[in-house]
Amino acid sequence: MTTVSMTVNGKAVSGDVEDRTLLVDFIRVNLGLTGTHVGCDTSQCGACVVHVDGKAIKACTMLAVRAEGSEITTIEGLAKDGELHPMQAAFKENHGLQCGFCTPGMIMAATEFVERYKVSGIELDEAAIRKELEGNICRCTGYHNIVRSIEDAASKM
Amino acid sequence: MYETKYHKASSADEAARLLAAAEDGKFLSGGQTLLPTMKQRLAAPTDLVDLSQIDAMKGITIDGKKITIGAVTTHAEVASSSELRDVCHSICDLAGMIGDPHVRNMGTIGGSIANNDPAADYPAAMMSLNAEIMTTKRTIAADDFFVDLFETALEDDEIITAISYTVPSKCGYAKFPHPASRYAMTGVFVSKNVDGTVRVGVTGAGASGVFRHEGMESALAGTWTADALKDCTVDANAMLSDIHADGAYRANLVKVLAGRAVASSC
Ligand SMILES: Cc1cc2nc3c(=O)[nH]c(=O)nc-3n(C[C@H](O)[C@H](O)[C@H](O)COP(=O)(O)OP(=O)(O)OC[C@H]3O[C@@H](n4cnc5c(N)ncnc54)[C@H](O)[C@@H]3O)c2cc1C
Ligand code: FES
Ligand code: FES
């Protein structure tokens, strides 16, 4: 066992893990933050996306020990003072989720790339949104409304 | 995933020592190939030696026309480097076509090249750009580095520290991504050098992995247009053939994409 420490949603946390423990398992099992989902075992679906030091990554494809000392944001960390993040609110308003399984990953991916496009000054049009969502699969195939939700949120972020 | 022991290295020397001391260790870089393989229990290293936090192996250096990219530089860093884009945008475009944004935030050029997946993008660029692969033991020309499917000239304890190349006068990359995996069903990187010679690197298509196509190279050395390729032949029997695409389909893709790569080059 190895003791790992990191900051998750603004709170310092630590725990004992086996070296083979994936970050997603540390988040779900040790911390009980089950909003981050696991939708595949091939690193392809993006249901597990979280931010590590501001970058969207697949938490199923990073070891927990590798995240030592990092700042992590999960879906649970987006709402502030009981107010949904604009991306969460937009998914709710635009029917951006059906079963909701892919939604945490979609939202964590989208909050990162909307920010990234804003900083770089490149226009985030529909084609760009679809390209940025290449690593996120929706089993209910509700992509049209997911794209619409992100367009809506981007105009408010 | 089977049990393993994780070690974080702070220098290439330390990493080589850690690996030598391990029973059956492997280097870990971005983990975007190795961890999925371990999750499937297709690999079971006793030890993982993490290279990704070795500062001396990070970043992009531009010295006139000479580019050096550290082995643990991520695909996202290459794709988004405006300094590199100014001198050689094709390598940035290629990095931006790898997988998806999350894979690009973790995956590294050294890991991609060391893995030598027959459908990986970077090997085509390394061959076409006549890149040098710098390791802890020597410098290897791309032509000698990629040996066969998932096989390279690297020894078990040899670490890629960086890759380096001289920006050609023109280059371009075109890829036909597999619709599900986003890996290259075929990808072609073309470069025209200052002395007029041309190098064409093809990934995703060859039955023995990445290769150069000499017929196309001489045709393009004559005239640098997609049209110059029309009489070139690509041997369908030397192509990969699987449920996604048979040899004849891939052979056709090689020609079509080489033309697109030339048309997009600058
Ligand atoms: C969903 C998905 C889609 C993808 N799509 C594409 C795609 O379209 N195109 C593409 O090219 N790739 C694709 N990849 C692979 C991705 O580019 C990987 O990042 C890359 O192949 C391996 O790099 P890594 O840094 O993640 O290496 P790791 O997974 O950490 O290592 C891979 C191998 O290389 C060895 N290694 C790593 N670094 C070094 C080094 N410096 N010296 C010596 N040996 C080393 C390791 O021991 C291991 O055997 C995809 C991956 C996923 C999960
Ligand atoms: S659970 Fe991580 S990509 Fe599917
Ligand atoms: S809403 Fe069901 S998987 Fe996307």
Side-chain angles (χ1 to χ4, degrees), chain B residues 51-69:
Chain B
L51 307 173
S52 68
Q53 292 160 77
I54 300 177
D55 287 334
M57 283 167 54
K58 284 183 187 168
I60 302 165
T61 318
I62 302 169
D63 180 8
K65 292 272 170 202
K66 193 161 166 71
I67 310 291
T68 306
I69 306 177

Side-chain angles (χ1 to χ4, degrees), chain A residues 2 18-22 40-44 46 49 55-58 60-63 65-66 105 109 112 116 131-136, chain B residues 1-6 28-32 35-36 39-41 48 50 52-53 77 96 99-106 180-182:
Chain A
T2 304
E18 289 184 324
D19 286 6
R20 64 174 159 177
T21 305
L22 297 169
C40 73
D41 57 9
T42 51
S43 303
Q44 283 175 306
V49 171
K55 295 200 170 80
I57 62 101
K58 292 173 178 169
C60 74
T61 315
M62 185 190 226
L63 294 175
V65 284
R66 160 81 196 274
E112 189 233 31
R116 178 154 42 84
K131 184 168 181 292
E132 291 292 334
L133 286 179
E134 246 160 24
N136 293 82
Chain B
M1 191 187 291
Y2 291 109
E3 268 183 63
T4 192
K5 180 107 197 61
Y6 172 87
L28 176 70
S29 187
Q32 301 303 289
L35 292 177
K39 289 199 291 181
Q40 303 282 333
R41 295 192 164 184
L48 288 175
D50 188 354
S52 68
Q53 292 160 77
E77 284 161 353
D100 58 55
H102 326 310
V103 167
R104 295 196 287 274
N105 275 336
M106 292 292 295
S181 77
R182 320 312 297 177

Side-chain angles (χ1 to χ4, degrees), chain B residues 70-150:
Chain B
V72 301
T73 309
T74 63
H75 309 328
E77 284 161 353
V78 172
S80 66
S81 164
S82 51
E83 295 81 8
L84 183 55
R85 185 167 290 279
D86 285 345
V87 287
C88 186
H89 74 93
S90 302
I91 194 90
C92 304
D93 294 344
L94 175 147
M97 290 181 209
I98 296 175
D100 58 55
H102 326 310
V103 167
R104 295 196 287 274
N105 275 336
M106 292 292 295
T108 66
I109 187 166
S112 173
I113 291 168
N115 195 50
N116 192 18
D117 186 309
D121 296 286
Y122 271 129
M126 297 299 103
M127 291 286 265
S128 174
L129 293 166
N130 200 12
E132 293 186 320
I133 320 294
M134 276 111 86
T135 78
T136 39
K137 300 188 178 192
R138 56 196 161 143
T139 296
I140 311 171
D143 280 339
D144 303 323
F145 181 83
F146 300 104
V147 176
D148 207 332
L149 309 179
F150 300 103

Side-chain angles (χ1 to χ4, degrees), chain A residues 87-121:
Chain A
M87 189 63 71
Q88 293 172 303
F91 268 69
K92 189 173 162 211
E93 278 150 31
N94 294 277
H95 196 61
L97 57 152
Q98 294 176 57
C99 78
F101 197 84
C102 69
T103 313
M106 291 283 179
I107 290 180
M108 296 315 288
T111 48
E112 189 233 31
F113 70 71
V114 167
E115 232 19 87
R116 178 154 42 84
Y117 274 67
K118 238 168 66 181
V119 170
S120 69

Side-chain angles (χ1 to χ4, degrees), chain B:
Chain B
M1 191 187 291
Y2 291 109
E3 268 183 63
T4 192
K5 180 107 197 61
Y6 172 87
H7 311 263
K8 178 173 135 184
S10 47
S11 70
D13 284 349
E14 187 193 1
R17 268 200 311 276
L18 286 164
L19 195 88
E23 189 189 326
D24 182 18
K26 258 195 173 297
F27 297 118
L28 176 70
S29 187
Q32 301 303 289
T33 293
L34 185 51
L35 292 177
T37 314
M38 289 173 68
K39 289 199 291 181
Q40 303 282 333
R41 295 192 164 184
L42 296 172
T46 55
D47 296 72
L48 288 175
V49 178
D50 188 354
L51 307 173
S52 68
Q53 292 160 77
I54 300 177
D55 287 334
M57 283 167 54
K58 284 183 187 168
I60 302 165
T61 318
I62 302 169
D63 180 8
K65 292 272 170 202
K66 193 161 166 71
I67 310 291
T68 306
I69 306 177
V72 301
T73 309
T74 63
H75 309 328
E77 284 161 353
V78 172
S80 66
S81 164
S82 51
E83 295 81 8
L84 183 55
R85 185 167 290 279
D86 285 345
V87 287
C88 186
H89 74 93
S90 302
I91 194 90
C92 304
D93 294 344
L94 175 147
M97 290 181 209
I98 296 175
D100 58 55
H102 326 310
V103 167
R104 295 196 287 274
N105 275 336
M106 292 292 295
T108 66
I109 187 166
S112 173
I113 291 168
N115 195 50
N116 192 18
D117 186 309
D121 296 286
Y122 271 129
M126 297 299 103
M127 291 286 265
S128 174
L129 293 166
N130 200 12
E132 293 186 320
I133 320 294
M134 276 111 86
T135 78
T136 39
K137 300 188 178 192
R138 56 196 161 143
T139 296
I140 311 171
D143 280 339
D144 303 323
F145 181 83
F146 300 104
V147 176
D148 207 332
L149 309 179
F150 300 103
E151 211 185 304
T152 67
L154 286 176
E155 290 163 21
D156 283 347
D157 60 345
E158 187 170 11
I159 301 170
I160 302 175
T161 52
I163 68 93
S164 163
Y165 67 92
T166 305
V167 180
S169 53
K170 277 176 187 294
C171 62
Y173 182 62
K175 170 181 184 178
F176 186 91
H178 182 282
S181 77
R182 320 312 297 177
Y183 273 93
M185 194 101 96
T186 295
V188 183
F189 201 105
V190 294
S191 308
K192 182 176 181 163
N193 297 303
V194 185
D195 64 4
T197 57
V198 169
R199 292 172 64 102
V200 176
V202 182
T203 190
S208 328
V210 65
F211 67 94
R212 281 173 57 198
H213 194 288
E214 279 159 25
M216 290 187 177
E217 291 181 353
S218 44
L220 290 172
T223 332
W224 185 256
T225 60
D227 207 39
L229 298 167
K230 68 177 187 304
D231 294 328
C232 292
T233 51
V234 181
D235 181 7
N237 292 318
M239 298 296 109
L240 287 166
S241 189
D242 55 30
I243 57 163
H244 308 299
D246 64 16
Y249 186 84
R250 278 194 168 85
N252 185 55
L253 274 182
V254 172
K255 243 175 107 163
V256 170
L257 292 172
R260 286 187 196 166
V262 172
S264 75
S265 69
C266 63

